[in-house]
Structure formats: C-alpha cells, structure tokens
Amino acid sequence: MRARMLAFCLGVIVCGAVPVLPDFSPLFAWMLALLCLALSRCSDLRLAVLAALCCGLSWGVGGAQWRLQALLPAELEGQDFWVQGRVSGLPERQERAQQFLFRVSRSCFALLPEDCAANEPRFRHRLVQLNYYGDVRIVPGQQWWWRVRLNRPHGFANPGSFDYEAWLLMQGVAARGYVRETAFNRLLGPGRPGLQRMRDELRERLAPLLAPLSNSGILLALILGDRSRLPASQWDLFTATGTNHLVVISGLHVGFMALLGYGIGNLLARLFPALLLRLPAQKWGALSAVLAALLYSLLAGFSLPTQRALTMVLVFMSGRLLARELLPSFAYWLAMSVVLLGNPLSPLGAGFWLSFGAVGTLMFAFAARIRLRSASGDAQGWAGRIRQWCEPQFTVFVGMLLPLLLWTGQSSLLAPLANLVAIPLVSLLVVPLALTSAGLLMLSPVLASYLLWAADALLSLLLWGLQCLADGEGGHTVLMAGPVSAMAVFLAVVGTVMLLFPPGWPGRWLGFVCFAPLLWPRSLAPAPGQVTLTVLDVGQGLAIVARTAGHTLLYDSGPAFSEDFDAGAGIVVPFLQRQGVRRLDTLVISHGDSDHRGGMPGVLAAMPVARQLLSLPAPLPAGAQPCHEGQGWEWDGVRFDMLGPAPGGAYLGNDSSCVLRIEAGGQVALLTGDIERPAEARLLAGQHDLLRADLLIAPHHGSNTSSSPAFIAAVAPHTVVFSAGYRSQFGHPAPGVAERYHALGIRAWNTALSGALGFVLGDAKQALQAWTPVEYRQQALRYWRLPASVASRRLHGVCFQQCAQSALTNQGELMVK
C-alpha cells in the first residue's frame, strides 16, 4: 500500500514541473484517474504501482486544468464590468487600499447595472483578489455589487524571485484587480455570519489590547494568521536566526496544540472515571487532539498550511481512534496522499515541501535510532535527555538545508541553536497564552489583557536573545545559495542521507564533504572581454545587472512597492545572490523617480557597494558621487562610458538621467534611463558618434515623450528592450513608439511578457543569433505562465517577438500568469 501511495504522490508532484499540460479536459483526466485507481488494486505489485503513478498524473492534470479554465478570459482583461458576490477571507488594510478575496456569484457586461440580465455565464463562481480604495470598511461576508477592472494573475519572472503566479494559482485566484469608483457600487447586505466574520470581529476586539504592546504584530500573526502588521525588522531578525517559521501558524504550532489537546483529554478521562466507561483514555486524548487542531486551524482562517497540518494530525490520530497501530511511514504517505487529493497544486508552494520534508527527515533519522536504543536498553541520564532535545534540531537543520537553499535561497546557520529555546518558548508558552487571551476576551477583557502582556513580555525576551545571538556572530549568520549544478544537488542529497544515519554508522561524517560543491558553487561570471547584461522584470521600473569576469554593476534598482518592501530586496538581491554575487562594485541610479531608485534601500541593506554614481536632487547621500558626461572606466576588458548628463548642470528630472554606454568586443549596449526628447537632442548634438549601439534599453520605458526618429536612427540598434509593467497603466510601451521600432526592422522585447532578459556582449554567438536574448519565462517554462509571443499580440497588436517562434507558441490558449 505504501508503494502505491508513493507512486500516486510522485505522479501529482511531477505535474507541477511540466512546461505544458496534456490537452485533456478536467472531467476526462479525473475519469482516467478513477480508472487507474481501480487498476491499482490488482495483485501484481508492479502493475499496481504503475497504475497508481498514472492515477496521480491524471489527478494532477485534472486539478491543474480545472484551475486554468477558471481563470479570467483573456478578452476581459482591462475591461470594466459588474460583479456580484461576497467578501471572502480577512481583508488586509494597507496604506491606501483594502485588499481582500471576493467570491463572484454573478457578472454583467452592460453599461448600467439596471440593464444586466438575470444570468451571465461568462465569469461567475470565481475567486478574485480586489483592492478597494474607498472609505467604507470592508467586512468578511458582505454582499456587494461592484464595477471592477481585472487582469489575469501575473507576477514578476526572475531567477531567484518568488513565483507569485504559481502561488495565486495554488490559492485558486482567477483574477486580480480593483474596484472602480462609481455611484452605482452598492452594498447589498451584511451577508451570513461565518468563520471569516468571526475572525474579523476578533481582530477588531484585539486591536485596542494589542496597540500598546511592542510585539502586537507577532501576536496577531500567532492568533489569527494575519501577518500584515508584522514589522519588516522583526521578520528579518527571525529570518537571520532561522526562527521565522515560529511567527506563522504552521504545522509546528498546530501539532503542539494537538499534543496539548491530547494531554488534556487524556488527563480529564483519567480524572473522571465515568468517561472511561465510554472510551479509553487514549481515544479521549486523540479526540481532544483533533478538536484542538481543528479549532486552531479555523481560527487561522483554514489556510492551506493549516489544512495540511490538520490533515496530518487526523491521519496520525486515526490509529488511536480506530485502535490500530499505524506504521509511521504508512501514516506519512497517507497524509501526503490526502493533502494532494484535496489540492493537487500544493507542490507548487514551498510550504508543502518544508512541512513534509521536516516530518520525513525526523522519521528517517530517528526510526533506526529508537530501535537501537530499545535494543540496547540504555538508561537516559541528564546528558542523554539533553542530547535527545538537541538531536532533533540538528536533524531538521541538516535535512532541510538543501530544500531551504533551493526554495528560499538561504538558510540560517543559527537555526539549530536558536530553535532550541525559541520553539518551546513560543509553542508551549506564547501561543497558549495568546489563544487563551483570545478565548477570554468576551468574558474578561482585563484578564485577557494581562495574558497578552505576559505573552508580549516573553516575545520581547525572545527577540532580545535572538538579537544578541545574531550580533554575536557579526551578522554572518545566513548561508546564501549561489548557482549550483544538478551534480551538486545530487551530492548534497547523498550527504544529507549520510548525516542522518544513526551515530556510529561508518563514514557518516563524510556527508559534510558532499556539501562542498553546494557551499562553493560554480561561477556564472563571463569570460574576460565579455559582459552579461540582465534586464530584470521589475514591473513599471528598471533594474539592469551588468557583470564582467570580476566586477558587477547595477544600473537602477527598480521601484518601491510599499514602506517595507521594494524591488531591491525582493527581486534584485535574490537574483544577485543566486548568481553568486556578494558585493556590488558600482551602483548607478539614473535619476530620482521612484520606479528607478525605489529599490536602493533594499540593495544597500543586503550587500556592500563600493561606489555609488547617482543623479539625484542635492544633497547626495554620504560617499556618493554624481554621474556625469566624461566619466569612464574599464573592467576586465570591458569599457564603460557615461554619456550624460552634462557635469555641473541643474537637476532636470528625467532629462538628467545617467546615460551609460557599455562596449565589449566591438558590441555596444546603451542604457538611457528616462531621457526624453530634449536630452536625446543634446546627445545627438554632442555625442553622436558614440550613440551607435547593438542593444538599446528604450528611453523612458517606450513613452511617447522619448525615442524620437532621429535618436533611433543614430543609435540604429539591432534590438530594443522595453522594461515596463504588465498592462502598464501608463500605456508603456506606447503603440506608436513600438511601431516606430518595428518599421525599422528593430526587434523588440518586453520584460512584462518575457520576464528577465539576458544578453552577452563580446560574444560572437550573440551576433550570430540575431541578438536573441535568454527569456526567463521561456527558460523556466511552466504551464501556468503566459506565452510571451501570444501575449505581445494580444496586448498591443504588435508582435514584439517577431522572430521568437518557439515552444511557447505551441501552448495555444494556456496563457496563465
């Protein structure tokens, strides 16, 4: 049976890694899965395992196709229409808007709501994510009639970045957008009371009690799973010490609540003998464990991580309830099978791998050790008990090192030591205190406030200890993942298995040697005389990484998305770390617009920068220099020259952008920032001979204010790149500008459609390939991502990738973001 469940899980997991799904309808895929399920019950084990594998593949394909067919139809993107439905989930209140999930029950495409027909089948029974910019407080369960503008789910596509599109698909979100302001929007009713309404009311009642506490964001996250008020500084500290899993409602907290419930139920049954007449104490404990895990999961909103943890508790406690001894491995594979049956897209998220990976690691490592200790009959003194407490932390650290590096790009070296104290403090003291205070809120707010104060004091003590631990290591506490090969991953897996063997196993500690290729990754730097240019996908903004054999330059840092998050921390730094870059030799900020300089704080906070060349209003930050015409240097046989702005001139906004010319092996790239036609005219008058380039980063994202015919003729590029947002609100690139390049035979690429774009200057193959870049969306092709060549025709009526005919075009209507 375990082999069959393993094969089923493997089949579902494989579906998440395929670039294109089979062209099956969900119904056909599910019927095929049922047929394979029946075949898997045959007595021939090999045939049964093969049938179970086919069942998993079919189930995964059916679930994925179901989600894809539910997405917003492409022709409705950017269109205004009416929707009726109810608010689902806990609204997240931001600076300017309220963000929430909305369950659409009806849609209408008439101009006025009174002209709407009774039933419109085009878009209904869908879950959408909306932003509301009005003053009315949004409450879960409310019924609304709204005019909205939606887009299909879309995220940034860069090496090392979080795959937001996959996450939205896994959550079942069919579209994202915002509520249009109109007098016809109206509240239809408060809706029926439910779980989310109760959570919202609890949050409002907790607000005045949490306000004076220094760790209110952490307490809110532990009680309700709402991390919207968690300060970025605290999250960074938890990340640096490997304890960030403690401030989310994860399987660990649900498991501890189940353990606490089991103990309470078992104890009560023994204290009241009448209960033992109905059920044994172990069954009362198991029922209490399931009830405690269920209540905590519901309080957290029954999110996917809590559903996964609750499923594992149910499976493991079912043996007690049914009076059957389940093998741990059987319960493990059964729990994974049930999770994948409920949501076959679960493997698209890191939480699935980290949860089951941690449990599987502990089971693998301690199964043999428990048998050895039972056979030897060793007495456990204090030393043995301390070792028993420390061993799981070391085991989980070793077992999860590779998954963490592959999924998140980093792993804290302090995690084993920090978690020795943090786990019992948070799970056994802080969480019970916080949950008890929430339960007492209606009966005694005063007592609830005292309990919250005690929990806050414990958290302050924990944060102080974690800060001392992080400061004591000089800040070098996080292991970063660089570029690794498949062989390095394979060796790391072998090393992990060796280190998890029981003590005394011959050659066990040689497993550390197997991690060497992972800790000292291969270099992706180009050869001397070459430079790689990567135009990152940062939405409406610009960030370009130029890397020579021994130096790295960042030109612009992308936009800031909020006070706590910017493109520098979320996109640029993860990309640099995945490339093995640990410092920047030069940071160039072309000008002061937020979509070019917004990510600068995130970059400076994450890595040292040797030199800053900025074009910003005075005064410049300490140590920075203004960029200006005449500056130049050479790195590893690659020439860098600044063509503008003029030295000593007044700051002119866009027209003061740093214009950087990069030449390698006779091939030239021109980075222009946001210059407009006046600055283009000055360049034509003073730097005409240096403007000729093979690669041009379109001025001002392809705006109508730039890319004059004379400037394009002087540059005469083979390729132009537009760095713009998906369905840009500014209309970038302007259709007239895109057509101007196209009419001259210049091949154009758009980061919104292709993701990050990679070029190599100084490489003869680049010219032979007609300056075709490496598109990240094509390089890391997955079935939920939008085919760039199809999207370009749909967005602007001009195919920017005229010559980029590839496997992307074969996906047809699978335009998923």
Side-chain angles (χ1 to χ4, degrees):
M1 189 64 178
R2 284 175 291 180
R4 293 176 174 87
M5 291 188 293
L6 171 59
F8 171 79
C9 295
L10 182 62
V12 178
I13 289 170
V14 165
C15 290
V18 299
V20 182
L21 290 175
D23 191 16
F24 296 161
S25 68
L27 181 60
F28 176 80
W30 290 332
M31 292 178 63
L32 182 60
L34 290 176
L35 176 62
C36 293
L37 179 62
L39 292 175
S40 68
R41 299 177 63 86
C42 68
S43 57
D44 187 335
L45 181 60
R46 287 176 295 183
L47 179 60
V49 170
L50 183 61
L53 178 65
C54 178
C55 178
L57 288 168
S58 302
W59 185 256
V61 170
Q65 291 284 21
W66 176 263
R67 290 287 174 85
L68 295 180
Q69 291 184 7
L71 293 176
L72 180 75
E75 65 272 12
L76 296 182
E77 281 194 294
Q79 304 298 318
D80 292 349
F81 59 95
W82 298 97
V83 293
Q84 179 181 330
R86 62 179 176 83
V87 178
S88 176
L90 205 61
E92 180 179 332
R93 293 174 178 86
Q94 303 170 343
E95 299 175 21
R96 299 174 49 244
Q98 301 175 71
Q99 187 178 88
F100 53 92
L101 295 177
F102 189 73
R103 180 72 64 177
V104 176
S105 59
R106 178 190 172 199
S107 61
C108 170
F109 301 90
L111 180 61
L112 297 176
E114 55 263 27
D115 298 330
C116 291
N119 293 300
E120 172 59 66
R122 294 178 68 187
F123 190 73
R124 59 180 180 176
H125 307 306
R126 302 288 192 273
L127 188 67
V128 300
Q129 187 184 77
L130 292 176
N131 283 335
Y132 174 68
Y133 296 91
D135 299 326
V136 178
R137 179 175 172 268
I138 303 300
V139 177
Q142 286 179 333
Q143 300 279 343
W144 281 90
W145 178 257
W146 267 324
R147 191 161 182 83
V148 297
R149 179 175 295 180
L150 302 177
N151 287 323
R152 292 162 74 99
H154 180 83
F156 307 124
N158 302 281
S161 294
F162 175 68
D163 194 339
Y164 189 49
E165 296 172 31
W167 185 84
L168 289 172
L169 188 71
M170 183 176 63
Q171 302 293 323
V173 176
R176 298 177 66 237
Y178 63 97
V179 178
R180 301 281 287 170
E181 185 176 353
T182 170
F184 295 101
N185 291 333
R186 64 181 185 273
L187 176 65
L188 300 178
R192 294 173 297 181
L195 172 64
Q196 302 301 336
R197 177 80 61 82
M198 180 203 72
R199 295 178 67 229
D200 184 70
E201 292 176 354
L202 179 59
R203 182 171 67 174
E204 293 303 311
R205 290 180 178 273
L206 284 171
L209 299 182
L210 292 174
L213 303 180
S214 57
N215 302 298
S216 58
I218 301 177
L219 290 170
L220 192 63
L222 291 174
I223 296 173
L224 294 173
D226 181 7
R227 286 188 291 162
S228 61
R229 302 179 189 180
L230 186 65
S233 58
Q234 291 183 344
W235 180 258
D236 292 340
L237 178 61
F238 287 126
T239 300
T241 54
T243 54
N244 48 5
H245 62 97
L246 294 175
V247 293
V248 296
I249 298 182
S250 61
L252 178 67
H253 295 324
V254 175
F256 267 109
M257 291 306 300
L259 183 63
L260 182 62
Y262 183 90
I264 293 175
N266 193 308
L267 178 62
L268 289 177
R270 297 179 187 278
L271 291 176
F272 299 96
L275 296 175
L276 295 177
L277 298 177
R278 297 180 177 273
L279 289 174
Q282 292 84 356
K283 290 190 177 183
W284 284 112
L287 287 173
S288 301
V290 172
L291 180 61
L294 176 62
L295 290 176
Y296 194 28
S297 299
L298 291 174
L299 188 62
F302 213 57
S303 59
L304 288 180
T306 57
Q307 293 176 29
R308 183 168 55 243
L310 178 62
T311 300
M312 298 180 75
V313 170
L314 286 171
V315 170
F316 279 91
M317 289 297 168
S318 62
R320 295 295 181 106
L321 292 173
L322 299 176
R324 296 184 60 182
E325 188 67 29
L326 296 180
L327 290 174
S329 58
F330 179 87
Y332 178 81
W333 292 114
L334 178 59
M336 184 180 294
S337 300
V338 172
V339 168
L340 293 177
L341 277 172
N343 187 352
L345 274 67
S346 294
L348 299 184
F352 172 86
W353 297 96
L354 299 180
S355 296
F356 281 103
V359 175
T361 295
L362 291 171
M363 290 173 55
F364 174 79
F366 285 96
R369 301 185 191 190
I370 292 174
R371 288 194 294 267
L372 289 173
R373 288 171 183 166
S374 299
S376 62
D378 291 340
Q380 293 294 330
W382 282 107
R385 293 179 180 178
I386 293 175
R387 186 182 65 185
Q388 282 187 350
W389 179 249
C390 296
E391 276 184 346
Q393 302 303 328
F394 172 78
T395 299
V396 171
F397 173 75
V398 171
M400 301 311 297
L401 179 60
L402 179 60
L404 281 171
L405 290 176
L406 294 179
W407 272 100
T408 67
Q410 60 186 23
S411 178
S412 173
L413 300 175
L414 298 176
L417 182 59
N419 282 295
L420 279 175
V421 178
I423 287 179
L425 183 66
V426 174
S427 295
L428 298 181
L429 293 178
V430 174
V431 171
L433 284 172
L435 294 181
T436 305
S437 68
L440 292 174
L441 197 59
M442 297 292 294
L443 299 176
S444 175
V446 176
L447 180 58
S449 65
Y450 281 123
L451 293 179
L452 286 174
W453 177 87
D456 181 73
L458 290 173
L459 286 173
S460 297
L461 180 63
L462 174 64
L463 290 173
W464 174 81
L466 294 178
Q467 190 65 59
C468 292
L469 187 62
D471 293 341
E473 297 297 324
H476 304 291
T477 62
V478 178
L479 180 65
M480 300 294 181
V484 295
S485 62
M487 179 57 68
V489 173
F490 173 75
L491 290 175
V493 172
V494 173
T496 300
V497 173
M498 293 177 64
L499 290 172
L500 294 179
F501 281 148
W505 191 274
R508 177 192 180 207
W509 298 107
L510 291 177
F512 283 114
V513 179
C514 296
F515 276 90
L518 188 69
L519 301 181
W520 285 275
R522 58 193 176 96
S523 174
L524 295 182
Q530 296 181 357
V531 59
T532 59
L533 285 179
T534 304
V535 187
L536 296 174
D537 177 15
V538 295
Q540 186 62 38
L542 184 64
I544 303 173
V545 176
R547 192 175 183 191
T548 66
H551 299 81
T552 304
L553 175 144
L554 175 63
Y555 182 92
D556 283 340
S557 57
F561 305 115
S562 68
E563 290 185 358
D564 296 327
F565 183 68
D566 57 56
I571 298 175
V572 177
V573 170
F575 171 79
L576 293 173
Q577 291 172 347
R578 286 299 176 98
Q579 299 298 304
V581 176
R582 298 295 180 261
R583 67 185 297 273
L584 285 174
D585 296 281
T586 298
L587 169 63
V588 178
I589 299 298
S590 64
H591 63 295
D593 284 1
S594 61
D595 58 334
H596 292 252
R597 67 174 294 186
M600 184 177 171
V603 173
L604 295 178
M607 59 179 55
V609 178
R611 177 176 60 165
Q612 300 179 37
L613 297 178
L614 315 178
S615 179
L616 302 175
L620 294 179
Q625 307 171 29
C627 70
H628 57 80
E629 176 189 343
Q631 291 172 325
W633 63 94
E634 186 170 316
W635 286 341
D636 309 308
V638 179
R639 183 67 191 174
F640 295 79
D641 291 289
M642 202 70 71
L643 305 186
Y651 179 74
L652 302 175
N654 287 347
D655 279 339
S656 289
S657 294
C658 307
V659 179
L660 181 62
R661 181 182 186 270
I662 305 175
E663 181 178 2
Q667 298 175 348
V668 178
L670 191 62
L671 285 56
T672 58
D674 273 0
I675 61 171
E676 299 180 351
R677 296 198 178 200
E680 291 178 355
R682 287 194 293 271
L683 288 172
L684 288 170
Q687 306 281 348
H688 188 280
D689 295 339
L690 295 176
L691 291 181
R692 171 70 182 90
D694 301 281
L695 170 64
L696 172 66
I697 308 301
H700 202 179
H701 318 286
S703 167
N704 274 322
T705 61
S706 307
S707 297
S708 63
F711 182 77
I712 297 176
V715 178
H718 297 293
T719 296
V720 64
V721 172
F722 299 105
S723 179
Y726 179 70
R727 302 193 65 87
S728 167
Q729 60 178 323
F730 304 103
H732 295 158
V737 172
E739 185 59 41
R740 190 177 304 152
Y741 284 103
H742 176 61
L744 295 174
I746 300 170
R747 303 179 62 213
W749 306 82
N750 192 337
T751 57
L753 311 179
S754 300
L757 294 166
F759 298 87
V760 180
L761 273 65
D763 185 3
K765 294 181 180 179
Q766 184 78 83
L768 292 175
Q769 294 172 356
W771 286 90
T772 301
V774 175
E775 301 177 82
Y776 182 71
R777 285 189 180 273
Q778 179 177 355
Q779 183 186 43
L781 187 60
R782 293 295 183 269
Y783 64 81
W784 57 84
R785 290 186 179 139
L786 181 68
S789 54
V790 176
S792 60
R793 288 193 295 269
R794 177 163 61 82
L795 282 178
H796 300 296
V798 177
C799 185
F800 297 117
Q801 286 84 357
Q802 293 286 327
C803 304
Q805 300 302 321
S806 63
L808 286 169
T809 59
N810 298 328
Q811 283 189 296
E813 292 302 317
L814 280 180
M815 298 185 297
V816 185
K817 284 194 171 182

